[in-house]
Amino acid sequence: MNSKMLLINVVVILIIVAGLGAGVYYYNQNANYISTDNARVDGQQITIAAAATGKLTDWYGQVGKQYNAGDRVGAISAPGQTAKIDVDFPVGGTIVQQTIVPNSFVGAGTALARAYDLNSLWVTANIDEKRYNDIKVGQLVDVYVDSFPGTVLSGKVDKIGLATAGSFSLLPSSNTTANYTKVAQVLPITIVLEGYKGVALAPGMSATIRVHI
C-alpha cells in the first residue's frame, strides 16, 4: 500500500513540476518574444512588359537567369515601324516566370515575364493587433523558413504597417444592422534579413518569425 501511495505521489509531483515548467516556458516566450507563422518571404516584383503593340519576333529571356537593367530580352515588330522595338529589363533581377508565346501578337504594356532581385528579399509578417504596441523598428528577429528546417535566419524589424490587413479587404466588415463585426485584426511588419546563410530563398515561401521584444 505504501509503495502504491509513494508511486502516486511521485506521479503527482512530476505532473506538477511539468506544469510549472510549461507555465514558466510560456511566460518567458510571451514576455520576451512575439511569434507568428503568418509570414512569408517577399520581394519587389519586376514586370517585363511589351513596349509597343505588335508581333513578338524575338525573345531571349530564360527562367532562372539573372539580368541587369537595360539588358535586351526581346523585340517587337510594330505596325508602321521600320525597326524592331526592344524589350528591355527595367531593373536588375532574375526571371521567375514568363508567359510569352514566340511570334504572337502582344499589346503595349502586356506582361511578358516577371522577375525578382533574389539578392534583396525580405520577410513580411502579420502581427496580432494586441501585440502591435510591443513591436519597434530595429528589434531583432529570428526567421524560420519552412523549406529549410534547422536553419535560423537573422533579421531586424524594418517597417511597421499603419493599417490592418482587413482595411484593404473587399468584403464588408459590418453586418445587416450596420454594426461592425469584431474580428481579431493583424498588422503587417517588414523584416530585413542579415544574409541567407546559403539557402536559396524564393518569394512566397512560408515562414515563422520570432521578434525579440
Side-chain angles (χ1 to χ4, degrees):
M1 185 70 179
N2 289 336
S3 297
K4 185 176 182 180
M5 288 299 298
L6 179 62
L7 179 61
I8 292 174
N9 289 336
V10 170
V11 171
V12 170
I13 291 172
L14 289 175
I15 292 174
I16 293 173
V17 170
L20 289 174
V24 170
Y25 175 80
Y26 177 80
Y27 173 79
N28 178 66
Q29 292 294 312
N30 196 56
N32 297 300
Y33 307 103
I34 296 176
S35 300
T36 180
D37 60 0
N38 189 354
R40 70 173 190 176
V41 179
D42 219 336
Q44 181 62 54
Q45 188 179 107
I46 304 163
T47 300
I48 298 89
T53 297
K55 184 179 181 181
L56 183 65
T57 55
D58 303 288
W59 183 258
Y60 316 112
Q62 297 178 33
V63 172
K65 186 174 179 179
Q66 184 175 348
Y67 297 87
N68 297 317
D71 281 354
R72 181 173 179 263
V73 290
I76 295 171
S77 179
Q81 297 284 337
T82 56
K84 294 180 180 180
I85 298 174
D86 292 340
V87 178
D88 299 328
F89 244 75
V91 295
T94 300
I95 292 180
V96 297
Q97 180 195 50
Q98 56 186 29
T99 56
I100 61 96
V101 176
N103 297 314
S104 63
F105 186 86
V106 296
T110 300
L112 304 176
R114 291 179 173 84
Y116 284 88
D117 181 354
L118 299 181
N119 296 315
S120 184
L121 299 176
W122 59 84
V123 172
T124 301
N126 290 317
I127 299 296
D128 190 291
E129 61 182 336
K130 294 179 181 178
R131 305 304 303 271
Y132 179 69
N133 287 331
D134 295 326
I135 299 293
K136 310 295 180 187
V137 171
Q139 288 172 328
L140 298 178
V141 184
D142 302 322
V143 178
Y144 309 85
V145 181
D146 292 7
S147 298
F148 308 103
T151 300
V152 183
L153 303 180
S154 299
K156 289 183 179 180
V157 176
D158 183 56
K159 297 182 181 67
I160 302 173
L162 300 179
T164 66
S167 300
F168 308 102
S169 174
L170 296 177
L171 299 176
S173 59
S174 58
N175 54 31
T176 54
T177 62
N179 294 320
Y180 285 104
T181 303
K182 189 171 182 178
V183 179
Q185 300 293 321
V186 294
L187 292 103
I189 64 172
T190 300
I191 300 155
V192 294
L193 298 171
E194 298 175 347
Y196 298 173
K197 293 188 176 179
V199 299
L201 294 183
M205 284 181 171
S206 299
T208 297
I209 61 106
R210 185 175 72 166
V211 181
H212 296 242
I213 59 175

